[in-house]
Amino acid sequence: MAVQSWIDVLKSSKKTALLTDGKRKIHYLFADGKEMAEEYDLKTDELVVRRWRHKNAIGAVGQWQVEVGDPIGGPDASSSSTVIKENCSNPIFMRRDTKTGFQWRIRNLPYPKDVFTVSVDPSERCIIVKTTNKKYYKKFAIDDLDRCQLPLDCSALSFTHANNTLIVSYKKPKEILILEQELLKELKKIKGPCEGDADCKTQ
């Protein structure tokens, strides 16, 4: 079963932990060289950050790619290596999960709710967001479901709109909830150093 395969991959990866800033930070190193970094809120156990890093064809380590959480550096951060900056009024897409659902926030969308259509495309395994005024269009996958090879369910999808932000929610299937509970038990067994300890190993 694909769900069990993914939990086995997670369990067999090399993991290091660090407790700091009210978060449990976990770094995974997989057998194929990929890296994943996660951060969990220590009070709620909610996942607040997940990032991935891959090696390219010649073995060089790439940049961290955000799957869950705010974009690296934040949407308004300036970078000395970037000459052209994205307009701060452009839509900003990010994923913020809850304990029971996957959730995406798209900021800077100042249109009324009835302009938006949010749907599931089972054949392409993605969620599609579009507007009737043709001002916005976005397709995105649910990586967790893809990794576990679980089908998409139209009835699990919902959305709301407030303060120029579209919030798209997808209820987590029971297989994902069980996987997350099992993984959290494993992560809590890792005795990572606390903030201020010597020899803290981080990514």
Side-chain angles (χ1 to χ4, degrees), residues 13-202:
S13 66
K14 183 180 178 182
K15 293 179 282 294
T16 52
L18 176 67
L19 307 181
T20 181
D21 300 326
K23 295 185 181 72
R24 182 188 311 276
K25 300 183 178 183
I26 310 290
H27 177 261
Y28 303 77
L29 179 60
F30 298 99
D32 61 4
K34 292 178 184 175
E35 297 174 80
M36 183 172 75
E38 292 185 330
E39 296 180 15
Y40 293 84
D41 187 296
L42 280 174
K43 290 182 180 177
T44 64
D45 287 332
E46 284 189 8
L47 176 71
V48 291
V49 171
R50 180 185 289 141
R51 298 182 182 128
W52 287 87
R53 187 162 66 176
H54 308 260
K55 290 183 179 179
N56 63 21
I58 58 171
V61 176
Q63 297 293 314
W64 285 102
Q65 302 296 318
V66 178
E67 181 180 319
V68 179
D70 293 339
I72 294 176
D76 300 321
S78 60
S79 170
S80 58
S81 62
T82 306
V83 178
I84 300 172
K85 242 178 90 174
E86 192 174 351
N87 189 320
C88 62
S89 65
N90 284 348
I92 299 168
F93 179 87
M94 66 185 68
R95 180 172 149 186
R96 294 263 186 90
D97 288 358
T98 67
K99 283 300 241 349
T100 58
F102 306 117
Q103 195 174 90
W104 300 264
R105 294 169 184 262
I106 311 172
R107 296 177 181 158
N108 297 336
L109 291 178
Y111 318 116
K113 183 182 177 182
D114 58 11
V115 166
F116 295 95
T117 300
V118 181
S119 59
V120 167
D121 186 332
S123 61
E124 291 197 33
R125 295 189 55 81
C126 67
I127 294 173
I128 299 175
V129 177
K130 57 185 177 182
T131 58
T132 55
N133 60 10
K134 303 190 187 306
K135 297 288 186 181
Y136 186 79
Y137 182 87
K138 179 81 175 177
K139 287 170 65 172
F140 56 93
I142 306 178
D143 296 318
D144 303 69
L145 299 189
D146 286 347
R147 283 189 287 266
C148 296
Q149 297 176 26
L150 293 171
L152 274 71
D153 179 7
C154 299
S155 66
L157 186 66
S158 63
F159 73 98
T160 185
H161 185 270
N163 302 318
N164 293 341
T165 300
L166 184 73
I167 302 173
V168 179
S169 301
Y170 186 97
K171 187 177 178 182
K172 292 177 182 177
K174 66 179 185 301
E175 293 92 342
I176 293 292
L177 294 173
I178 293 168
L179 182 153
E180 290 179 345
Q181 289 169 2
E182 190 176 339
L183 178 61
L184 198 58
K185 288 178 185 176
E186 289 290 316
L187 298 181
K188 287 183 176 181
K189 293 177 186 176
I190 305 172
K191 301 300 180 185
C194 295
E195 188 174 21
D197 288 354
D199 301 324
C200 285
K201 186 175 181 183
T202 63

